[in-house]
Amino acid sequence: MLSCDICGETVSSEPDMKAHLTVHMENEVICPFCKLSGVNYDEMCFHIETAHFEQNELERNFERINTIQYGTSDNRKDSSLQCRADINSSVHSACASNQPKISAQSLPEDGTLKHKDFYSENLTESRKFLKSTERQSDRTKIKESIYETMYSPPECPFCGKIEDNSQDMETHVKTKHADLLDTPLEDCNQLLYDCPMCGLICTNYHILQEHVDLHLEESSFGQGVNRVQCSRDLELAQQLQQEEDRKRKSEESRQEMEEFQKLQRQYGLDNSGGYKQQQLRNMEIEVNRGRMHPSEFHRRKADMMESLAIGVDDGKTKTSGIMEALYRYYQNAATDVRRVWLSAGVDHFHSSFGDKGWGCGYRNFQMLLSSLLQNDAYDDSLKGMSVPCIPKIQSMIEDAWKEGFDPQGASQLNNRLQGTKAWIGACEIYTLLTSLRIKCRIVDFHKSTGPLGTHPRLFEWILSYYASEREGSPKVVCTSKPPIYLQHQGHSRTVVGIEERKNRTLCLLVFDPGCPSREMQKLLKQDMEVSSLKQLRKFVGNLKHKQYQIVAVEGVLSSEEKIARRQASQVFTAEKIP
């Protein structure tokens, strides 16, 4: 039997030993403790003994205990050398397990000397340790503790059985677990079975089946736990989603209600009273602030009650004679104007305490009606009428609804205007005029026709309404055409004329019910200033709302035409100008 000097393995013949040493030559020396490489075998042994002294301290302590037990220096020397040989053997094994790349021929010739010097140093150190340990009282306990630490009973890696020594454990493994130790040769046709779940290689199909069954049991248990957990998570997620949906719907309902109430307040449908209640409330505020004397309050209240009783406007917000003043101004001044067309005579009405914020539509109707009442062509339709107060206008619109005009618009306003602050627009003005047998039309300018959101087509339409023949006419043309009702989102005004400037641009002249009497009366002065016209003039760039509607009066309806229009208003549509 031959023994390898590198790793201590025994072989039966020289060819086997040569093959064994070839393995060492083809592999690299790697330190088992710090992975150092790139040195020869003898240098690696020296590195392990010096750099990893603590790892081999147990072996050294055991060597010293044997020296103490045997007593003599010779025996200590022999025991030390024997123990050192064991340590070298362990180092050889460690290097072999790390596949050292070294051959017997490559060992240095002075390797033995180096080892001997190293061993002599360790023997000297052992003698010093002997002198120190001879002073200790219980040497046997130290040996037993170290021995137990180094040589604990081995445990089977397959079944966990504990044997007294390594030889018994090796016998147990070879006899009880031989099937697990069978490794096929490279040229053998034995089948190998790979676990599809973890990649473990088994030599027996039944072992693989048992192994896979363990995987499946673990997987089914984990899936069961996960299924229960997922069910709980799903239930919790559904509860959270339902709660979130409930809160969202509640918030949406609240916001919708707030928006609806806001719109009701904006359009006067919040049941907070109408013209009369607002007039009294605002006059009381003026008295409380010291802006109105109590006697004035009672006088105005009495006038209001009388006006409401007879249904006629009290005229306190009316300004007359403006159209005549405009005619004089354009005749004598306005050098930048090439030509101007004015409507028939019309009075200006502005908002009061009772309709401030919502009465513009009613005031514009009063302006339009004031012009029609001054025109003899409409006497037959408006015989005996005066300009009505706002509550009376509301009553007249409700009567038109009852006749069958504009049922869709009536339903939107709950068929009720009296006692409310409801806004009215072009449709209600058309309905009311048609019910009075006044021929009119609604024209819808539903989109911009010029740059920057302007409406030049609106200006052109109004010019064609007032000016039948533009060329050859005088500078100031007083037509018999009534004013035009002009509506846009949130407000309405009355067009009473149009200018053609010397640069061929157009400018509307409008009466705004939001303009108070004191400003309008400035237009009545003999020496009217140009700045006073600023509140009337509206150029193309001043009208940039998205949509405009106009109501233009065109004459008188016969009774048959009135009936026909009432029937047509069941499906009411306005004329649209692209």
Side-chain angles (χ1 to χ4, degrees):
M1 299 294 290
L2 301 177
S3 178
C4 177
D5 294 334
I6 299 175
C7 63
E9 183 177 350
T10 59
V11 296
S12 59
S13 64
E14 289 186 1
D16 293 340
M17 177 58 67
K18 290 181 180 181
H20 175 75
L21 291 175
T22 303
V23 174
H24 287 301
M25 293 173 63
E26 294 176 351
N27 296 315
E28 182 182 6
V29 180
I30 300 175
C31 176
F33 302 110
C34 66
K35 306 305 179 183
L36 175 69
S37 61
V39 298
N40 60 36
Y41 169 74
D42 191 56
E43 291 173 345
M44 180 60 69
C45 291
F46 179 75
H47 162 73
I48 292 174
E49 292 299 329
T50 55
H52 303 291
F53 175 79
E54 293 181 356
Q55 283 84 344
N56 291 319
E57 185 176 359
L58 293 176
E59 288 87 343
R60 294 192 183 94
N61 290 339
F62 181 65
E63 173 194 343
R64 290 164 183 166
I65 292 171
N66 285 335
T67 304
I68 295 171
Q69 183 177 2
Y70 296 127
T72 62
S73 61
D74 293 338
N75 290 337
R76 285 197 302 270
K77 181 177 180 181
D78 294 340
S79 178
S80 175
L81 293 174
Q82 180 64 31
C83 192
R84 179 57 56 191
D86 293 341
I87 294 174
N88 286 339
S89 178
S90 66
V91 172
H92 295 164
S93 299
C95 294
S97 65
N98 286 280
Q99 301 177 351
K101 186 177 180 181
I102 188 168
S103 64
Q105 290 82 357
S106 64
L107 292 175
E109 295 180 358
D110 57 347
T112 305
L113 295 177
K114 292 181 180 179
H115 279 287
K116 287 182 180 181
D117 294 340
F118 181 80
Y119 295 157
S120 63
E121 291 177 4
N122 281 284
L123 287 175
T124 304
E125 192 168 326
S126 297
R127 293 189 183 96
K128 294 179 181 179
F129 180 77
L130 175 63
K131 293 180 181 180
S132 62
T133 53
E134 285 177 352
R135 301 188 190 98
Q136 300 178 2
S137 59
D138 196 353
R139 300 179 182 86
T140 304
K141 291 182 180 180
I142 297 175
K143 177 182 177 182
E144 290 176 356
S145 175
I146 296 174
Y147 196 91
E148 291 175 358
T149 303
M150 294 177 59
Y151 299 98
S152 59
E155 180 179 353
C156 177
F158 301 106
C159 64
K161 183 178 180 181
I162 299 176
E163 296 289 352
D164 295 334
N165 51 59
S166 60
Q167 290 79 6
D168 293 343
M169 177 55 65
E170 183 178 358
T171 302
H172 165 77
V173 170
K174 288 181 178 180
T175 56
K176 299 298 182 180
H177 306 291
D179 55 340
L180 299 177
L181 297 176
D182 291 338
T183 55
L185 298 175
E186 293 181 358
D187 58 347
C188 184
N189 294 327
Q190 182 178 358
L191 294 177
L192 298 178
Y193 302 93
D194 294 346
C195 174
M197 307 182 79
C198 68
L200 179 68
I201 299 177
C202 300
T203 60
N204 187 291
Y205 175 76
H206 298 288
I207 296 176
L208 175 64
Q209 186 175 7
E210 293 178 357
H211 173 75
V212 172
D213 289 341
L214 291 175
H215 278 302
L216 295 177
E217 290 178 2
E218 294 177 357
S219 177
S220 62
F221 176 76
Q223 290 178 357
V225 173
N226 292 336
R227 191 177 298 109
V228 173
Q229 185 64 35
C230 289
S231 177
R232 292 175 181 174
D233 292 343
L234 179 60
E235 183 179 356
L236 178 60
Q238 290 175 346
Q239 292 177 355
L240 293 175
Q241 185 63 42
Q242 291 174 357
E243 181 67 17
E244 184 68 22
D245 292 341
R246 186 187 63 80
K247 291 181 178 179
R248 178 178 53 81
K249 291 179 180 179
S250 176
E251 181 64 20
E252 288 177 355
S253 299
R254 185 187 64 80
Q255 291 180 356
E256 288 178 1
M257 181 57 66
E258 289 181 355
E259 290 294 329
F260 180 70
Q261 292 175 352
K262 181 180 179 180
L263 289 174
Q264 283 185 319
R265 291 191 300 269
Q266 180 179 355
Y267 292 100
L269 300 175
D270 57 349
N271 297 322
S272 61
Y275 177 87
K276 176 182 175 181
Q277 290 79 5
Q278 180 171 319
Q279 179 85 1
L280 294 174
R281 190 182 308 118
N282 287 335
M283 286 196 303
E284 289 175 355
I285 293 174
E286 292 296 307
V287 172
N288 293 333
R289 292 177 177 176
R291 298 175 182 174
M292 181 183 294
H293 195 273
S295 61
E296 179 69 14
F297 170 82
H298 291 291
R299 186 183 63 81
R300 289 194 179 188
K301 180 179 178 182
D303 293 340
M304 179 193 68
M305 298 304 292
E306 181 181 358
S307 174
L308 296 180
I310 62 176
V312 178
D313 187 80
D314 56 12
K316 296 185 180 298
T317 66
K318 181 176 71 171
T319 303
S320 301
I322 298 177
M323 301 307 295
E324 293 79 1
L326 290 175
Y327 177 81
R328 293 191 300 268
Y329 171 77
Y330 284 111
Q331 285 282 23
N332 302 321
T335 56
D336 56 342
V337 175
R338 182 170 180 267
R339 191 173 288 110
V340 60
W341 290 267
L342 301 176
S343 71
V346 55
D347 298 329
H348 178 267
F349 290 82
H350 70 83
S351 300
S352 64
F353 286 133
D355 62 290
K356 186 176 182 180
W358 58 274
C360 59
Y362 302 97
R363 296 299 182 181
N364 284 305
F365 175 77
Q366 288 177 333
M367 296 184 204
L368 179 56
L369 187 60
S370 71
S371 179
L372 297 177
L373 290 174
Q374 299 177 43
N375 193 326
D376 296 338
Y378 301 95
D379 285 347
D380 184 51
S381 300
L382 305 175
K383 185 180 295 185
M385 281 192 63
S386 300
V387 176
C389 62
I390 289 179
K392 180 62 176 178
I393 297 174
Q394 292 177 326
S395 176
M396 293 168 64
I397 296 175
E398 290 179 0
D399 292 339
W401 288 342
K402 292 176 183 178
E403 289 185 41
F405 289 97
D406 192 18
Q408 184 177 1
S411 64
Q412 291 177 353
L413 295 172
N414 298 323
N415 297 284
R416 176 173 172 262
L417 289 176
Q418 293 188 81
T420 71
K421 296 190 287 288
W423 294 16
I424 62 172
C427 293
E428 287 72 35
I429 299 299
Y430 175 87
T431 296
L432 181 52
L433 290 173
T434 305
S435 69
L436 296 174
R437 291 200 303 118
I438 304 298
K439 184 179 180 180
C440 59
R441 63 193 291 198
I442 294 182
V443 183
D444 185 5
F445 298 87
H446 61 281
K447 64 179 181 180
S448 169
T449 55
L452 303 176
T454 57
H455 294 263
R457 292 291 300 276
L458 170 64
F459 284 72
E460 293 172 3
W461 194 96
I462 294 176
L463 177 62
S464 65
Y465 172 80
Y466 282 116
S468 57
E469 295 182 3
R470 297 176 57 182
E471 298 300 331
S473 59
K475 178 180 179 181
V476 183
V477 180
C478 293
T479 69
S480 59
K481 296 290 185 70
I484 297 174
Y485 178 93
L486 176 65
Q487 175 77 51
H488 61 79
Q489 178 64 36
H491 193 44
S492 61
R493 286 170 281 194
T494 299
V495 181
V496 298
I498 185 168
E499 294 177 348
E500 183 182 29
R501 317 284 287 186
K502 288 190 174 180
N503 58 4
R504 297 290 180 172
T505 60
L506 299 177
C507 176
L508 298 182
L509 300 175
V510 299
F511 282 180
D512 192 333
C515 185
S517 295
R518 63 178 178 272
E519 295 296 329
M520 298 300 295
Q521 289 174 359
K522 294 179 181 179
L523 300 172
L524 302 178
K525 296 180 180 179
Q526 293 293 332
D527 53 347
M528 182 192 305
E529 297 179 0
V530 178
S531 59
S532 300
L533 280 177
K534 185 176 181 181
Q535 57 190 335
L536 300 185
R537 284 173 168 164
K538 300 298 176 185
F539 293 92
V540 174
N542 300 130
L543 300 184
K544 292 186 178 181
H545 285 274
K546 183 177 181 180
Q547 182 179 7
Y548 287 91
Q549 284 184 329
I550 61 174
V551 180
V553 175
E554 297 178 325
V556 179
L557 292 172
S558 64
S559 299
E560 293 78 11
E561 289 175 330
K562 175 183 175 181
I563 295 173
R565 294 210 172 192
R566 181 182 63 192
Q567 293 175 349
S569 69
Q570 303 295 322
V571 185
F572 181 80
T573 56
E575 176 186 350
K576 291 186 178 181
I577 299 298

